[in-house]
Amino acid sequence: MTDDETQGTLDCDVAVVGGGPAGSAAAITLARAGRDVVLVDKATFPRDKCCGDGLTTGALRHLEALGLRPDAVASWQTVTRTIIRSPSGRTVELPLPAGPGAGTFAVVARRAELDAALLERARAEGVKVHDGHALTGATVPAGERCVHLAVDGLGTVRARYVVAADGMWSPLRKALLGGAGETEGYLGEWHAFRQYLHHGGPEAQRGLWVWFEEDLLPGYLWSFPLPDGRLNVGYGVQRGSKHWPEPLGKRMAKLWPELLARPHIRAVLGPDAEPEAPHKAWPIPARIERTILGAAGGRALFVGDAARATDPMTGEGIGQALESGVLAADAIVAAGSLRPWLAQRRYEAAVNRTLALDNRVAGLLSTHGVAHRKGIRIAVALADTNDWTRRTFGRWLFEDEPRAGLLTPARWHRRFLRRPGAYA
Ligand SMILES: Cc1cc2nc3c(=O)[nH]c(=O)nc-3n(C[C@H](O)[C@H](O)[C@H](O)COP(=O)(O)OP(=O)(O)OC[C@H]3O[C@@H](n4cnc5c(N)ncnc54)[C@H](O)[C@@H]3O)c2cc1C
């Protein structure tokens, strides 16, 4: 393939649109398999992404396999406990394994730094990264075996395949699927709010705090510790609930100062904790099991938030973004450049065996469990039964094993919920 930027055309095997976790994971996997990969992102990195910055064990295992080194991310903060408070005020502390050889089970890392470091990894693997260049359109000309992408400042990128890792609003999904991509009026399953605070107190530094406030259900508030007394604090609620009518964003913004001032929350954050930047809000898409995963006869595959891959119970999506990126890349490599329909079929099958099943289970647990006061009370009481339940529940909650792991024998192994964490 040729690379002729001067004439405004760039050819490659695979184009990846979006340089978040999903795009970088796909690009790294493809480059390692010898594919010529061009990645474009409209943002110039490092760029912020509105997020809780929490990395689950599942996400960490993927990051390790992709070659990301913790010391490449300045704000990398390992955490070894989660503290959950039910609406009635009962708290349970869930310890994660710690100590020599235990490995890492939970980390908080600023997305601005994490995503830039992962993109740097992609560059090091040979991916041609063009950040600061937005996709503006996409076509599949009749009779041609490639997708043509219109990219600001680059011209046309021609690729055998394109991986759409362009986030919740996926412009590529809109360009290729239009209404068929269910983009009209879709606002995601969750809406979430985040603010960075500084001068957080010692309680807040102790672990990942999660509050199930009665008036936030179905939803929760979090405070995740970062180095130097900084905190990532935010809350998310499920869209469409009768407790949370639209306009959701405005309602959430109005409630925010009052939430931060609640005595039991302020007691954890500390008296001196104060915002260091304005708050941000963003939707969370969580319905991969009901989402179109490919377009253009299989030449375009959707991953991460563009595939609505987030966990419907917690709103966590970094691990799912990484996993879907790897699965799509594997499918492209296995199908080869001439059988795009096979790539799509393989990708769909892989997602159905893993992420879609996990999300179905998480969706059920969410609807019948943590969306209600009673469900949370039962979950907290069960988790708090003894040391074993506290340890095991903590690991399961933090996706040490897939949500539907127990239901999928293909993913069983002898050290289920007992193996070391990542970076052991
Ligand atoms: C408030 C909040 C808190 C959250 N907390 C957590 C958490 O603690 N842990 C967790 O695991 N998940 C969390 N999530 C979910 C998580 O942030 C997402 O699931 C994850 O970022 C998805 O990654 P991605 O690579 O698919 O998309 P993104 O990270 O959104 O990346 C998409 C990329 O596409 C680029 N792009 C968009 N349009 C174009 C275009 N036209 N041309 C080129 N590039 C384009 C963007 O610039 C962006 O870089 C949270 C989400 C929210 C909103």
Side-chain angles (χ1 to χ4, degrees):
M1 293 243 163
T2 60
D3 180 328
D4 189 358
E5 275 190 65
T6 48
Q7 289 178 19
T9 304
L10 194 58
D11 286 337
C12 60
D13 296 330
V14 187
V16 177
V17 181
S24 286
I28 291 170
T29 309
L30 287 157
R32 283 177 173 174
R35 299 299 181 274
D36 179 23
V37 186
V38 166
L39 184 151
V40 300
D41 196 297
K42 72 173 180 188
T44 303
F45 284 67
R47 62 100 179 88
D48 185 29
K49 158 75 179 82
C50 178
C51 185
D53 299 339
L55 297 175
T56 60
T57 318
L60 289 164
R61 291 194 204 282
H62 280 296
L63 290 171
E64 183 181 19
L66 291 165
L68 183 91
R69 287 171 47 115
D71 59 12
V73 184
S75 58
W76 188 272
Q77 172 78 57
T78 302
V79 189
T80 55
R81 62 177 69 83
T82 306
I83 304 121
I84 296 178
R85 184 183 190 274
S86 74
S88 64
R90 176 171 180 175
T91 57
V92 54
E93 196 163 318
L94 309 171
L96 291 164
T104 309
F105 289 84
V107 162
V108 186
R110 279 185 187 253
R111 288 292 300 277
E113 293 165 10
L114 176 78
D115 291 13
L118 199 53
L119 200 55
E120 209 44 56
R121 275 262 65 240
R123 261 197 197 100
E125 295 280 359
V127 176
K128 292 165 193 147
V129 176
H130 297 271
D131 56 341
H133 294 277
L135 171 102
T136 55
T139 51
V140 189
E144 286 208 28
R145 288 182 171 161
C146 56
V147 184
H148 287 205
L149 305 176
V151 180
D152 253 354
L154 281 186
T156 303
V157 176
R158 291 188 305 203
R160 294 277 193 213
Y161 285 97
V162 56
V163 176
D166 46 354
M168 161 73 199
W169 303 113
S170 184
L172 196 53
R173 177 178 282 277
K174 281 193 191 122
L176 292 176
L177 287 173
E182 326 147 48
T183 44
E184 285 305 308
Y186 178 66
L187 295 173
E189 276 62 36
W190 285 70
H191 200 68
F193 220 82
R194 178 219 68 189
Q195 189 158 38
Y196 285 119
L197 270 54
H198 53 185
H199 308 312
E203 259 314 88
Q205 295 301 321
R206 228 161 48 82
L208 305 163
W209 280 84
V210 175
W211 291 270
F212 287 100
E213 297 288 285
E214 177 100 50
D215 56 339
L216 298 190
L217 297 176
Y220 65 90
L221 187 138
W222 73 82
S223 166
F224 292 171
L226 282 159
D228 306 323
R230 293 193 154 78
L231 306 172
N232 179 321
V233 186
Y235 79 116
V237 298
Q238 282 180 26
R239 189 154 233 134
S241 113
K242 64 177 186 310
H243 306 293
W244 284 96
E246 302 292 343
L248 197 48
K250 276 198 181 140
R251 274 176 209 282
M252 291 180 75
K254 202 165 158 214
L255 186 62
W256 186 233
E258 196 257 288
L259 278 174
L260 291 184
R262 288 186 185 175
H264 58 282
I265 294 171
R266 180 47 68 174
V268 171
L269 300 179
D272 301 326
E274 55 176 18
E276 70 170 18
H279 55 66
K280 286 186 178 179
W282 198 252
I284 299 184
R287 56 157 82 168
I288 192 168
E289 70 284 6
R290 287 174 283 150
T291 293
I292 297 170
L293 295 175
R299 295 208 180 275
L301 300 181
F302 301 99
V303 298
D305 275 11
R308 300 158 185 176
T310 309
D311 180 287
M313 188 172 75
T314 60
E316 284 155 350
I318 300 171
Q320 288 77 354
L322 295 165
E323 181 164 349
S324 56
V326 171
L327 291 178
D330 285 344
I332 289 171
V333 172
S337 63
L338 299 178
R339 295 181 298 173
W341 52 270
L342 184 60
Q344 180 168 343
R345 196 189 290 169
R346 275 178 175 268
Y347 178 51
E348 285 169 349
V351 166
N352 283 335
R353 280 194 305 268
T354 55
L355 289 167
L357 201 57
D358 294 331
N359 278 20
R360 242 179 241 124
V361 168
L364 284 172
L365 289 171
S366 175
T367 314
H368 300 291
V370 294
H372 313 283
R373 185 188 164 93
K374 193 173 159 200
I376 294 165
R377 188 162 43 100
I378 294 169
V380 167
L382 285 175
D384 205 11
T385 308
N386 55 41
D387 279 351
W388 183 84
T389 56
R390 280 187 282 275
R391 273 198 318 270
T392 309
F393 189 73
R395 290 181 72 154
W396 176 82
L397 188 68
F398 239 65
E399 295 180 337
D400 182 15
E401 301 292 349
R403 289 276 181 256
L406 281 176
L407 304 176
T408 43
R411 294 187 289 178
W412 290 356
H413 56 88
R414 280 170 46 206
R415 306 201 67 194
F416 201 80
L417 286 174
R418 284 191 298 127
R419 57 184 162 156
Y423 300 103

